[in-house]
Amino acid sequence: MNTKQLKTKLEKELEDLVGELKTLGHINPENPADWEAGPDNLNVLSADRNETADQIENYESNTSILKQLETQYGDVNNALKKIASGTYGKCEICGEIISEDRLEANPSARTCIAHAS
Ligand SMILES: [Zn+2]
C-alpha cells in the first residue's frame, strides 16, 4: 500500500476542509477543536428584523454543514495520526486490514467494508 501517497491526499483534504470551515464559521474561542457557524459576532440585535431572520436561517443551515465538515475533518485528522503512529489501514472495529481499494476511494475510512456504517 502506498501510504505516502495517501498521506499527501489526506493532507490536501485537511487543508481543503479547513478552508471550507473558515468560510462558514470560526473556531470556538473556548474550545479550539470546535467550530461554530457564522461570523464571530452574529448580530442578533440587528435593527432590521428581516435581515436578522436571514442571518438566523443562514446560521442554522451553516451549522448542519459545519457538523458534517467537522466529522470529516475529525476522520482525516484521525487517519493522519494513525499514519504517524503506524496503525493506519486497520478497521477500528475488528482490526482487520482495510482493503487498498477502499482506502484509495476514501483514505480517511475508519473501518473495513463489513463495518462501514
Ligand atoms: Zn471490520
Side-chain angles (χ1 to χ4, degrees):
M1 175 167 50
N2 193 341
T3 309
K4 207 178 158 201
Q5 202 185 324
L6 291 173
K7 192 183 170 208
T8 309
K9 241 179 165 177
L10 285 162
E11 280 167 347
K12 176 78 181 50
E13 205 183 333
L14 199 69
E15 225 173 86
D16 290 349
L17 283 167
V18 171
E20 281 182 68
L21 282 162
K22 277 187 184 159
T23 66
L24 290 170
H26 60 275
I27 292 175
N28 179 348
E30 278 154 33
N31 177 9
D34 189 30
W35 287 77
E36 291 178 328
D40 276 320
N41 50 348
L42 181 70
N43 188 8
V44 288
L45 299 172
S46 167
D48 185 332
R49 287 198 181 179
N50 286 328
E51 196 182 303
T52 309
D54 278 356
Q55 279 183 346
I56 291 171
E57 204 172 296
N58 250 334
Y59 180 83
E60 282 170 359
S61 70
N62 283 353
T63 300
S64 73
I65 301 168
L66 260 185
K67 282 268 171 294
Q68 287 173 17
L69 289 173
E70 237 178 334
T71 306
Q72 237 173 304
Y73 180 85
D75 283 352
V76 172
N77 229 344
N78 179 55
L80 284 167
K81 271 187 202 151
K82 286 199 274 191
I83 289 175
S85 67
T87 56
Y88 180 70
K90 283 185 187 154
C91 172
E92 289 186 1
I93 295 173
C94 65
E96 289 293 319
I97 303 287
I98 302 172
S99 78
E100 219 168 302
D101 285 353
R102 178 161 164 74
L103 289 174
E104 283 283 345
N106 178 15
S108 58
R110 288 169 176 259
T111 62
C112 68
I113 287 176
H115 293 115
S117 52

